[in-house]
Amino acid sequence: MTVRDGQERGGEDVAPPPFPPAGPGPAGPGPAGGKGGDDGYRPSARRIARERYRRTRTRRAFAVASASTLLTAGALYALIVNSPGWQRTRQTFFDAHYARISLHPILHGLWLNLRLLAVCGAIVLVAGLLMALLRTLRGPVFFPVRALATAYVDFFRGLPLIICILLCVFGIPALRLTGVTNNPVLLGAFALCLTYTAYVAEVFRAGIESVHPSQRAAARSLGLSNAQAMRYVVLPQAVRRVVPPLLNDLVSLQKDTGLVSIGGAVDAVYAAQIIASRDFNYTPYVIAGLIFVAITIPMTRFTDWVAARMNRRQSQGGAV
Amino acid sequence: MSAIGPKSGTADGPEPALRAEPVLRMEAVRKTYGGTVVLRDIALEVPAHTVTALIGASGSGKSTLLRCANLLEDVDDGAILLDGQDITDPRTDVDEVRRRIGVVFQAYNLFPHMTVLDNITLAPRRVHKEPREQAEGRARELLERLGLADRAHEYPDRLSGGQQQRVALLRAVATRPRLLLLDEITAALDPELVGEVLAVVRDLKEEGMTMVIATHEMAFAREVADQVCFLDGGIVLERGTPAEVFGAPSRQRTQEFLRRITEAGRL
């Protein structure tokens, strides 16, 4: 029997599912064979009228939403297209030729961004969690550990990322240490990890502190050690709560991977910059920007979905 | 005490001959969750200035009935009328209806980031647009009457459960609602704190507040209620005056329930 399976069920009276099923319509009394469902119930005229009204409302809401969306889009389009500099802007920023020739180098550079995101993201999540845990250690023995972790977070959260990258990419090779790489990509990735671990550690710590002390008390009173209480009771709740801000940091990290180009590596943004400065056309920037946006949207929707599913499983809802 | 409540004693009895429109009326209310019928053909009338007690085992539908009355849940079928207005009509302005209904929950649900005074004056000030002095004056007066005047600037988590629940009651009545719904408000309290909360309910009855109370406190229901409804499996199995329901229950289920309660020492 695992402790983690013990999800709380506020099971006083009937614990209702989050939402009642949308009216099954005049067809009949819901799924047959449900407990006590087969009681010869026939929907009244009042219910049928009510549901008809609700359907009309839904249709109307959909129509209004569509109309207002079209109107807004039309207005924005007209505003941009009719602006005095539109012709010139379109040539400089939205040129199909440059979009075509820049796409391949940008995607090639993007591969570097994605690899950096995957590697740095994984390191940052683990190291950030570790750093947050170090800061929660109790007892005087751990004072230096706590102090160091706090100092680390304070320092690297405040240090501008560009300066951190410059110091790592140019400063570490200058030390001429044997066995330490001079590769600007690796050093840039190291700098990214340093800064983002500090951010993520703070997110995790906020999550850990948001779990009510009574949860820890309950866990400790079952005989779980401090570490076990953290591992099985506090952390699972804390991590769920901080998923949205964590995603925020990961998206931010994804964009900042471009800064490793400071050391000379060619990522998607730098690839776009090379073309843009050669031909004085900004279309490659627009293409690179759209690609970055296109990558983050599925990530956001995925975490929204995960969070919504967790909420559905844990809480009873209502039509508030 | 006025003689209220149908003499027939069951849900499908004839309509009681009441001249005035009841504050709350339920007609053939039905509520299902998935395939489970939680409320079935509920009929209920709560005349003005009366107290209706809902009794029954956990899961019998008491809480759901209250949640439906406050529109926290949509009913599947039937109608709920507040002062004669069908509030289950989809065109109803839900916020406007809730402004006329006060609710107190089992878990108090006070806002932990606000002081007692702010908890009580939130709705009068923000919803009913009362000026601050007026809202706070009334809140202080109410607190004074419950002997909680010195707690006005405390935060809820620093109060005892009984004090919190009394503040929650004040918060619910601060807007002078037409109807007060109390959902097992003493169920989370220590036995010695139950009395102070029930005393407030008793005071409210004296003042003529119309209330519907879901409760496990049978002695209290018997004392304070004008009408008692015994819910079982989502239907009002028995309805009548406390004397009728507690003294001479006509249904076997009611008898069994009351016997179990008595054995548990709660009557």
Side-chain angles (χ1 to χ4, degrees), chain A residues 275-291:
Chain A
I275 300 167
S277 43
R278 189 186 61 204
D279 298 325
F280 192 64
N281 189 293
Y282 291 133
T283 309
Y285 282 134
V286 174
I287 299 295
L290 288 178
I291 290 175

mmCIF file of all heavy atoms in Angstrom, chain A residues 275-291:
data_model
loop_
_atom_site.group_PDB
_atom_site.id
_atom_site.type_symbol
_atom_site.label_atom_id
_atom_site.label_comp_id
_atom_site.label_asym_id
_atom_site.label_seq_id
_atom_site.Cartn_x
_atom_site.Cartn_y
_atom_site.Cartn_z
ATOM 1 N N ILE A 275 21.406 36.708 -42.114
ATOM 2 C CA ILE A 275 20.732 37.015 -43.380
ATOM 3 C C ILE A 275 20.245 38.456 -43.381
ATOM 4 O O ILE A 275 20.400 39.186 -44.380
ATOM 5 C CB ILE A 275 19.556 36.048 -43.601
ATOM 6 C CG1 ILE A 275 20.077 34.615 -43.646
ATOM 7 C CG2 ILE A 275 18.812 36.387 -44.881
ATOM 8 C CD1 ILE A 275 19.000 33.574 -43.550
ATOM 9 N N ALA A 276 19.676 38.884 -42.256
ATOM 10 C CA ALA A 276 19.088 40.219 -42.202
ATOM 11 C C ALA A 276 20.162 41.280 -42.431
ATOM 12 O O ALA A 276 19.938 42.253 -43.165
ATOM 13 C CB ALA A 276 18.403 40.433 -40.853
ATOM 14 N N SER A 277 21.344 41.102 -41.839
ATOM 15 C CA SER A 277 22.341 42.152 -41.980
ATOM 16 C C SER A 277 23.017 42.103 -43.358
ATOM 17 O O SER A 277 23.515 43.106 -43.844
ATOM 18 C CB SER A 277 23.381 42.060 -40.860
ATOM 19 O OG SER A 277 23.752 40.725 -40.658
ATOM 20 N N ARG A 278 22.993 40.922 -43.990
ATOM 21 C CA ARG A 278 23.600 40.830 -45.326
ATOM 22 C C ARG A 278 22.703 41.524 -46.359
ATOM 23 O O ARG A 278 23.170 42.270 -47.185
ATOM 24 C CB ARG A 278 23.774 39.350 -45.685
ATOM 25 C CG ARG A 278 24.595 39.114 -46.962
ATOM 26 C CD ARG A 278 24.581 37.647 -47.321
ATOM 27 N NE ARG A 278 23.226 37.185 -47.566
ATOM 28 C CZ ARG A 278 22.858 35.914 -47.446
ATOM 29 N NH1 ARG A 278 23.721 34.997 -47.070
ATOM 30 N NH2 ARG A 278 21.604 35.557 -47.703
ATOM 31 N N ASP A 279 21.387 41.280 -46.275
ATOM 32 C CA ASP A 279 20.485 41.749 -47.330
ATOM 33 C C ASP A 279 19.597 42.905 -46.905
ATOM 34 O O ASP A 279 18.718 43.317 -47.653
ATOM 35 C CB ASP A 279 19.588 40.594 -47.782
ATOM 36 C CG ASP A 279 20.412 39.461 -48.359
ATOM 37 O OD1 ASP A 279 21.441 39.770 -48.999
ATOM 38 O OD2 ASP A 279 20.053 38.300 -48.148
ATOM 39 N N PHE A 280 19.759 43.398 -45.714
ATOM 40 C CA PHE A 280 18.899 44.439 -45.166
ATOM 41 C C PHE A 280 17.418 44.120 -45.383
ATOM 42 O O PHE A 280 16.657 44.879 -45.964
ATOM 43 C CB PHE A 280 19.229 45.818 -45.757
ATOM 44 C CG PHE A 280 18.557 46.906 -44.986
ATOM 45 C CD1 PHE A 280 18.890 47.115 -43.650
ATOM 46 C CD2 PHE A 280 17.567 47.697 -45.563
ATOM 47 C CE1 PHE A 280 18.259 48.093 -42.933
ATOM 48 C CE2 PHE A 280 16.918 48.671 -44.824
ATOM 49 C CZ PHE A 280 17.270 48.883 -43.509
ATOM 50 N N ASN A 281 17.043 42.911 -44.945
ATOM 51 C CA ASN A 281 15.624 42.549 -44.948
ATOM 52 C C ASN A 281 15.323 41.809 -43.650
ATOM 53 O O ASN A 281 16.039 40.877 -43.277
ATOM 54 C CB ASN A 281 15.312 41.646 -46.152
ATOM 55 C CG ASN A 281 13.832 41.447 -46.289
ATOM 56 O OD1 ASN A 281 13.208 40.815 -45.433
ATOM 57 N ND2 ASN A 281 13.254 42.002 -47.337
ATOM 58 N N TYR A 282 14.260 42.265 -42.959
ATOM 59 C CA TYR A 282 13.987 41.741 -41.606
ATOM 60 C C TYR A 282 13.070 40.524 -41.589
ATOM 61 O O TYR A 282 12.728 40.028 -40.530
ATOM 62 C CB TYR A 282 13.394 42.836 -40.720
ATOM 63 C CG TYR A 282 14.403 43.914 -40.384
ATOM 64 C CD1 TYR A 282 14.092 45.259 -40.501
ATOM 65 C CD2 TYR A 282 15.670 43.560 -39.928
ATOM 66 C CE1 TYR A 282 15.024 46.228 -40.199
ATOM 67 C CE2 TYR A 282 16.614 44.527 -39.629
ATOM 68 C CZ TYR A 282 16.274 45.873 -39.756
ATOM 69 O OH TYR A 282 17.204 46.813 -39.458
ATOM 70 N N THR A 283 12.674 40.056 -42.743
ATOM 71 C CA THR A 283 11.781 38.898 -42.791
ATOM 72 C C THR A 283 12.310 37.708 -41.976
ATOM 73 O O THR A 283 11.527 37.057 -41.259
ATOM 74 C CB THR A 283 11.541 38.475 -44.248
ATOM 75 O OG1 THR A 283 11.155 39.632 -44.988
ATOM 76 C CG2 THR A 283 10.453 37.429 -44.339
ATOM 77 N N PRO A 284 13.612 37.407 -42.047
ATOM 78 C CA PRO A 284 14.105 36.255 -41.259
ATOM 79 C C PRO A 284 13.790 36.373 -39.765
ATOM 80 O O PRO A 284 13.471 35.364 -39.125
ATOM 81 C CB PRO A 284 15.616 36.287 -41.507
ATOM 82 C CG PRO A 284 15.753 36.949 -42.816
ATOM 83 C CD PRO A 284 14.648 37.955 -42.901
ATOM 84 N N TYR A 285 13.835 37.597 -39.220
ATOM 85 C CA TYR A 285 13.495 37.767 -37.805
ATOM 86 C C TYR A 285 12.046 37.364 -37.533
ATOM 87 O O TYR A 285 11.735 36.704 -36.540
ATOM 88 C CB TYR A 285 13.674 39.230 -37.377
ATOM 89 C CG TYR A 285 15.114 39.629 -37.144
ATOM 90 C CD1 TYR A 285 15.603 40.822 -37.672
ATOM 91 C CD2 TYR A 285 15.963 38.841 -36.390
ATOM 92 C CE1 TYR A 285 16.904 41.214 -37.465
ATOM 93 C CE2 TYR A 285 17.269 39.215 -36.173
ATOM 94 C CZ TYR A 285 17.750 40.405 -36.706
ATOM 95 O OH TYR A 285 19.031 40.779 -36.489
ATOM 96 N N VAL A 286 11.159 37.815 -38.430
ATOM 97 C CA VAL A 286 9.746 37.486 -38.262
ATOM 98 C C VAL A 286 9.557 35.973 -38.286
ATOM 99 O O VAL A 286 8.844 35.401 -37.444
ATOM 100 C CB VAL A 286 8.895 38.170 -39.365
ATOM 101 C CG1 VAL A 286 7.444 37.712 -39.282
ATOM 102 C CG2 VAL A 286 9.003 39.678 -39.248
ATOM 103 N N ILE A 287 10.241 35.318 -39.246
ATOM 104 C CA ILE A 287 10.117 33.861 -39.358
ATOM 105 C C ILE A 287 10.618 33.192 -38.075
ATOM 106 O O ILE A 287 9.940 32.336 -37.489
ATOM 107 C CB ILE A 287 10.932 33.347 -40.568
ATOM 108 C CG1 ILE A 287 10.403 33.963 -41.861
ATOM 109 C CG2 ILE A 287 10.901 31.824 -40.642
ATOM 110 C CD1 ILE A 287 9.004 33.553 -42.210
ATOM 111 N N ALA A 288 11.790 33.602 -37.599
ATOM 112 C CA ALA A 288 12.347 33.005 -36.385
ATOM 113 C C ALA A 288 11.408 33.225 -35.209
ATOM 114 O O ALA A 288 11.147 32.306 -34.421
ATOM 115 C CB ALA A 288 13.720 33.608 -36.095
ATOM 116 N N GLY A 289 10.868 34.437 -35.102
ATOM 117 C CA GLY A 289 9.944 34.742 -34.000
ATOM 118 C C GLY A 289 8.720 33.861 -34.037
ATOM 119 O O GLY A 289 8.310 33.300 -33.007
ATOM 120 N N LEU A 290 8.133 33.702 -35.258
ATOM 121 C CA LEU A 290 6.933 32.873 -35.373
ATOM 122 C C LEU A 290 7.231 31.435 -34.980
ATOM 123 O O LEU A 290 6.413 30.775 -34.339
ATOM 124 C CB LEU A 290 6.393 32.934 -36.810
ATOM 125 C CG LEU A 290 5.747 34.260 -37.196
ATOM 126 C CD1 LEU A 290 5.301 34.216 -38.663
ATOM 127 C CD2 LEU A 290 4.555 34.552 -36.293
ATOM 128 N N ILE A 291 8.424 30.951 -35.357
ATOM 129 C CA ILE A 291 8.763 29.557 -35.020
ATOM 130 C C ILE A 291 8.850 29.392 -33.498
ATOM 131 O O ILE A 291 8.329 28.430 -32.939
ATOM 132 C CB ILE A 291 10.081 29.153 -35.704
ATOM 133 C CG1 ILE A 291 9.851 29.042 -37.221
ATOM 134 C CG2 ILE A 291 10.590 27.821 -35.154
ATOM 135 C CD1 ILE A 291 11.109 28.772 -38.011
#
